[in-house]
Amino acid sequence: MFESDVYKERRKKLREEIKSGVILLPGNGESPMNYPSNAYHFRQDSTFLYFFGIDQPGLAGIIDVDNNEDYLFGDDTDLASVIWMGPQPSIKELGLKAGLNKTFPYSKLEKAVKDAVEKKRNVHFLPVYRAENIILIEKLTGIHHSEVNSNISRDLIRAVVKLRSVKEPNEIAEIEKAVNVAYEMHTTAMKLAMPGVYEKEIAGRIEGISLSHGTPVSFPVILTINGHILHNHYHGNMLREGRMMVTDAGHETSMRYASDITRSVPVGGKFSERQKEIYEIVLQALVQATAMTRPGVPNRDIHIEASAIITSGLKDIGLMKGDVGEAVARGAHALFFPHGLGHMMGLDVHDMEGLGEDYVGYDDEIKRSDIFGLKGLRLGRRLQEGFVLTIEPGIYFIPPLIDKWRDEKKFPEFINYEKVESYKDFGGIRIEDDVLVTADGSRVLGKPVPKTVNEIEKTMES
Ligand code: GLY
Ligand code: MN
């Protein structure tokens, strides 16, 4: 945990934003895999962690705005648990670490919330993504479970997004730690990417590296020679010469901050001319987008600029044609780059996505587009100092999408389908860094993971 004052200060700021009522923040419980005592790896709710910092199941917090008080609900471990799990800090001790001294047994939570409901005080809660917590909120508030997610507090969402979007120095340091472990994961993957090796051997090794630092990966490892399948979790292929291996993987620190890095490398260690051509376009898009990243600039504009670089590069090698600006405005490049340039990152790898993507990435000024490609952009609004985001352009040759567009005669003025046909065996390339928006620009976080053609070939040689 951070120092207790960190959590006190965050709750104080939240109270200032919300003004009245009570804020209910349930933590997560254990989630069984196949019988109750065989649980999945425990993951605390990120917003609970942000305001209370305690990384264990069976807790709930209340921030009482009207009475300027914070309460923590949870039970001390009984002797049976001590026998199996060892001694645990008391709920009182945990409360002090989180900067509060009003702690109660979990059974008191129901009365606390019911009293507030009876007094017609506003009970604010966030969107709920776990069934157990939907049932809990039904029990506490009397709102039918099917209506819980329609009764969320938009004021609370906006306030939490406002606070969590701007990272404190202690959070940035955590994210850098996560990137440094990702450095180890990615350079190891590069060195193992030789013909005859199976994807699962490498995926297992890099997940092991994350675990060897004490905590798991920040999301399921994507490692594939079929990088045109954007979130490919199948690891059963044998690597063969001529394919690119896309690895999209990150680490979660003991404080639960994420990294999210992607690298694409040629199996065997040497780029072919064709691979190099496509790679250099994606790299240029990444470098330019990073250079544009600064406070005040809408991330949507950076996405559009990256799309223009991709379009112009593809035009140079004859895969696209026509006017670059018009092609991008109409979304023709999305055949090759169908996703967004990046997303916020922090306690969640897609930070705060559970609160609603549009609250996190858009605002009254910048609304989400409905054009294929641009509509996948998770972060469109103007950047602010302290934001941490990913920048992750890519070029993919997705056979079913190519076939569909060609059959529909979509954008024949911008796409050279005949040439594209000969790239259907290419796969895909994505390159992703984690970037902090600074006062006057941006900084790529953590130890730089090899990224240029030269750096990658050198790393794979060793
Ligand atoms: N790293 C996976 C994603 O950004 O969706
Ligand atoms: Mn990402």
Side-chain angles (χ1 to χ4, degrees), residues 3-18:
E3 295 293 319
S4 58
D5 281 351
V6 168
Y7 304 103
K8 251 172 143 162
E9 186 60 24
R10 290 174 180 175
R11 293 192 300 266
K12 179 169 163 262
K13 285 187 180 156
L14 185 61
R15 270 197 291 270
E16 285 162 8
E17 293 289 330
I18 292 299

Side-chain angles (χ1 to χ4, degrees), residues 219 222 231 248-249 260-262 343 349-350 378 390 392 430 432:
F219 58 95
I222 297 162
H231 277 181
D248 183 346
D260 180 8
I261 301 283
T262 306
H343 49 85
V349 68
H350 290 179
R378 293 190 160 95
T390 67
E392 47 180 311
R430 177 166 64 253
E432 175 179 29

Side-chain angles (χ1 to χ4, degrees), residues 83-293:
I83 290 167
W84 288 97
M85 311 294 290
Q88 307 293 326
S90 68
I91 202 74
K92 195 105 225 134
E93 288 164 328
L94 291 172
L96 289 176
K97 286 187 178 181
L100 56 89
N101 55 20
K102 298 222 160 27
T103 56
F104 302 93
Y106 200 82
S107 58
K108 301 283 183 203
L109 176 65
E110 189 168 347
K111 184 168 168 5
V113 178
K114 283 190 168 154
D115 278 355
V117 172
E118 266 167 31
K119 288 181 184 136
K120 305 242 178 302
R121 295 171 67 196
N122 218 339
V123 178
H124 300 267
F125 54 87
L126 294 168
V128 197
Y129 55 89
R130 286 206 181 181
E132 296 88 334
N133 280 344
I134 294 182
I135 294 166
L136 173 73
I137 296 214
E138 176 179 69
K139 186 174 143 202
L140 299 179
T141 62
I143 298 168
H144 190 264
H145 54 264
S146 64
E147 295 295 320
V148 164
N149 272 320
S150 324
N151 281 277
I152 49 177
S153 164
R154 284 171 179 76
D155 289 343
L156 181 59
I157 294 174
R158 287 193 194 94
V160 170
V161 168
K162 183 173 168 189
L163 296 181
R164 282 183 57 189
S165 292
V166 177
K167 269 61 185 180
E168 302 158 356
N170 52 8
E171 297 184 282
I172 295 162
E174 278 297 312
I175 296 171
E176 292 218 82
K177 278 190 215 164
V179 178
N180 290 344
V181 176
Y183 169 92
E184 219 184 298
M185 293 160 70
H186 280 273
T187 49
T188 301
M190 288 177 190
K191 290 172 193 169
L192 291 171
M194 296 299 146
V197 178
Y198 278 85
E199 294 163 340
K200 58 192 169 191
E201 299 175 60
I202 309 176
R205 284 286 284 277
I206 69 171
E207 187 149 353
I209 290 173
S210 183
L211 286 168
S212 76
H213 286 268
T215 37
V217 287
S218 47
F219 58 95
V221 169
I222 297 162
L223 187 146
T224 178
I225 54 168
N226 292 319
H228 57 283
I229 301 169
L230 304 184
H231 277 181
N232 198 340
H233 292 125
Y234 176 73
H235 298 146
N237 296 303
M238 191 175 78
L239 271 55
R240 51 197 162 77
E241 201 94 40
R243 300 296 295 179
M244 295 293 296
M245 182 181 83
V246 175
T247 307
D248 183 346
H251 172 70
E252 183 174 274
T253 66
S254 59
M255 299 284 295
R256 308 295 166 207
Y257 285 84
S259 56
D260 180 8
I261 301 283
T262 306
R263 288 295 183 265
S264 303
V265 304
V267 173
K270 283 267 167 257
F271 283 84
S272 69
E273 276 313 305
R274 192 171 80 148
Q275 288 171 333
K276 202 184 292 185
E277 271 179 352
I278 301 291
Y279 190 88
E280 294 288 6
I281 302 170
V282 181
L283 184 61
Q284 200 200 339
L286 172 67
V287 170
Q288 267 301 112
T290 309
M292 277 180 80
T293 297

